[in-house]
Amino acid sequence: MGVKPWKLITSALISIGIIILAILNRHWIVEAFSLLNEAKHGWLFAALVLIALSYLMSAQVFNVVLRSLGYRMNLLRLWATALTAIIISQSVPAGGVGSYAFLISNFNRRGIRAGESALLASLETLSYVMAMLLIFSFSLGYFAWRGLEATGASYIAGFVGLSVIGIAIFVLTRSEQTLHQWLYGLQQGIGRLFGRRWSSTWIDRIVGDLSRGRSLLIHRRRDVFLLVLIQLTALSGHSLAMLLVLHALGTDVSFAVVLSAFGVALVTSTFNVLPGGGGTVEAALVAVLSQMGVGPAAVPAAIIFRLFNYWLAAPLAAVCYHWLMHEPVTPLVSSKVRTGSLNAPSHD
């Protein structure tokens, strides 16, 4: 069976996009490689391995949900899926949408039903956002305890993040009838604006999928708690890798300082519209670390960390995307379907 043209085009666009980002940020990358010679290579290698393991930990989010649905997928594919989704989310504006679409497409082509694929992607997004906000809350608390003020940008980013999530929670907790009325009114307004009329079938489908997803989430509260814990572990792993980079540069700081800086960088990058972060992640790390008394090592440490955390991972993610979306696959069959059970078990 031939490869669909849109998959080839998407693969090419992702590869080209990563190359363009590398060219635009070549001064960061060149500087990072030059700084590697001045650091202790043992600590740097440990940081690189820890980052890879942190991506593997992120993949456990999918592993937990897939197993609860009765599916099995090997860890290499799950690791490649998590790495690709995370890099996509960081590489383009509104990357979360692209990451979500990739996850849906990837799981669908493996025989996982559309509703279950949407559940997987939604739980991954929900658990990540909750973990990110918990770490950011720790950052603000640590700043207050140290008697320091976070940068204004971090407070703005945090306010925007909490506002967006609050609005999303408000909307997603409305009744089916209310959501249908809102979406229908939105469609009518856009239709009048452009002088066109569209079918409302998509509204019924979206509201129906949302209703089923909410029902599944209600019965998966323990799963959500476990997934948030997994995401916290993965993000803490990246923070620990940053700590190892600082050690490689001969600077000793506490893990709490690095985690606080990483929390600000996480929120800043999430609401940044520049491809690849546009240097804002590095700037946020440098600003907070410098404010915490790290000293001149803050700049090279931030650059090297992003080299390991993003720039070296980006081309690997492009290769993983091509592999995942083009390899011949045998559709997975849920063990619950094979045994004739159609109802997901309760986790309460």
Side-chain angles (χ1 to χ4, degrees), residues 114-131:
E116 293 172 332
S117 297
L119 174 67
L120 277 161
S122 299
L123 285 175
E124 191 278 334
T125 301
L126 175 65
S127 60
Y128 174 81
V129 169
M130 292 178 68

Side-chain angles (χ1 to χ4, degrees), residues 51 55 88 150 178 201 230-231 242 301 322 341 348:
I51 287 173
Y55 281 121
I88 288 176
T178 300
T201 304
I230 291 173
Q231 296 280 22
M242 178 75 179
H322 182 84
S341 175
D348 288 304

Side-chain angles (χ1 to χ4, degrees), residues 14-15 18-19 22 83 87 310-321:
I14 289 176
S15 300
I18 289 173
I19 293 172
L83 175 66
I87 294 301
Y310 177 78
W311 291 110
L312 292 182
L316 181 58
V319 173
C320 289
Y321 178 90

Side-chain angles (χ1 to χ4, degrees), residues 280-343:
T280 55
V281 175
E282 294 86 347
L285 287 171
V286 170
V288 178
L289 289 175
S290 298
Q291 194 175 33
M292 291 290 187
V294 170
V299 174
I303 295 174
I304 293 174
F305 172 73
R306 281 297 281 172
L307 175 69
F308 290 173
N309 174 263
Y310 177 78
W311 291 110
L312 292 182
L316 181 58
V319 173
C320 289
Y321 178 90
H322 182 84
W323 171 49
L324 292 170
M325 301 305 291
H326 297 87
E327 67 163 336
V329 296
T330 301
L332 300 173
V333 178
S334 172
S335 60
K336 293 179 174 58
V337 174
R338 290 196 297 269
T339 57
S341 175
L342 299 178
N343 295 321

